């Protein structure tokens, strides 16, 4: 597999073309941003944690019947993935109120929810990723009804698999963000990453935050939290 030109650079990853038009290489950086890039910093070793944890999670999900873009881990920071066109939606699943939902609805962080919440944001930095509902998505053509149904049911199943797995390692999955893409042969697959950047992880007993909120909120112990998550899932 030949790594070729850089196709794209995002806030946390770069994507490179390969000599196979159906495959790309993602390369995870240590750069950290929050609040749509208004806060910037570095989390030492984050690229390695996010690459390895994402690949571990994608393989766990594949075993449970969820199609993903994962093909092969190439090294600590780089992974071969299926080339996809990203559906321009951030899909957020929530099990307890936290972050923007806690703020918007005036709920204390950690408030129990009677059922999981599925939210969508339109991926658009200039607009600060506005929240949208099903009818906005269909009306604006961000996704078709069929794709939205696939994405919604996959997201709910992913939530069940992930909640059970993280509970088994003493971590409560508060909420997380997913992105989906369409492969060159037309299949909708889970893409992007699953990491402490994109999930809220709380220790089940102490409720200590083990995710990027430590960076967003200047809580300290950021690298230590990422390393603790790697230990919990058996990768360190
Ligand atoms: P929120 O409470 O700020 O809306 O975040 C919900 C979840 O989504 C949380 O686990 C963090 C994750 N997330 C991202 O991965 N990327 C983003 O740009 C944002 C705003 C949140």
């Amino acid at each position: 597999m030949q790594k070729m030109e850089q196709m794209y650079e995002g806030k946390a990853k770069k994507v490179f073309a390969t000599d196979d038009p159906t495959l790309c290489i993602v390369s995870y950086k240590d750069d950290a941003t929050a609040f749509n890039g208004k806060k910037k910093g570095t989390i030492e070793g984050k690229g390695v944690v996010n690459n390895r944890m994402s690949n571990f999670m994608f393989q766990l999900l594949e075993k449970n019947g969820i199609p993903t873009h994962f093909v092969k881990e190439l090294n600590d920071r780089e992974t071969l993935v299926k080339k996809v066109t990203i559906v321009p939606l951030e899909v957020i699943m929530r099990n307890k109120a936290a972050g923007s939902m806690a703020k918007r609805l005036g709920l204390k962080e950690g408030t129990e929810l009677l059922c999981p919440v599925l939210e969508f944001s339109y991926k658009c930095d200039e607009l600060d990723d506005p929240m949208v509902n099903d009818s906005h998505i269909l009306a604006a053509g961000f996704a078709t009804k069929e794709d939205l149904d696939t994405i919604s049911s996959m997201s709910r199943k992913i939530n069940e698999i992930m909640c059970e797995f993280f509970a088994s390692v003493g971590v409560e999955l508060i909420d997380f963000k997913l992105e989906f893409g369409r492969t060159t042969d037309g299949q909708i697959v889970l893409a992007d990453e699953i990491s402490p950047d994109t999930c809220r992880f709380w220790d089940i007993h102490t409720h200590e935050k083990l995710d990027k909120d430590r960076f967003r909120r200047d809580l300290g112990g950021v690298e230590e939290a990422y390393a603790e998550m790697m230990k919990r899932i058996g990768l360190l």
Side-chain angles (χ1 to χ4, degrees), residues 96 172 174 201-210:
K96 278 195 172 168
E172 187 171 12
I174 302 297
F201 296 129
W202 291 6
D203 180 274
I204 275 184
H205 302 293
T206 66
H207 308 304
E208 188 191 356
K209 294 182 187 359
L210 299 171

Side-chain angles (χ1 to χ4, degrees), residues 90 92 94 98-100 175-177 197-200 216:
E90 301 207 337
I92 296 162
R94 301 181 185 271
S100 67
D175 58 30
F176 58 97
K177 185 265 297 183
D197 274 20
T198 62
C199 304
R200 286 196 171 93
R216 296 187 187 99

Side-chain angles (χ1 to χ4, degrees), residues 92-98 101 105 107 110-119 155-156 159-160 163 172-176:
I92 296 162
M93 289 287 333
R94 301 181 185 271
N95 298 303
K96 278 195 172 168
M101 177 177 166
L105 301 186
L107 298 171
T111 302
E112 294 277 356
L113 300 174
L114 301 178
C115 56
V117 171
L118 173 60
E119 261 175 31
S155 299
R156 290 186 185 282
N159 186 42
E160 286 169 16
C163 278
E172 187 171 12
L173 181 61
I174 302 297
D175 58 30
F176 58 97

Side-chain angles (χ1 to χ4, degrees), residues 51 65 75 82 144 156 219 231-232:
N51 181 44
N75 58 53
K82 291 178 187 156
T144 62
R156 290 186 185 282
L219 300 176
K231 274 191 207 141
R232 296 285 179 105

Side-chain angles (χ1 to χ4, degrees), residues 152-192:
S152 302
S153 64
M154 272 170 68
S155 299
R156 290 186 185 282
K157 185 164 174 210
I158 291 166
N159 186 42
E160 286 169 16
I161 299 163
M162 283 178 52
C163 278
E164 188 185 324
F165 170 71
F166 283 110
S168 77
V169 297
V171 171
E172 187 171 12
L173 181 61
I174 302 297
D175 58 30
F176 58 97
K177 185 265 297 183
L178 301 172
E179 294 186 27
F180 293 84
R182 183 181 294 285
T183 62
T184 51
D185 55 15
Q187 191 187 17
I188 293 282
V189 298
L190 178 65
D192 195 53

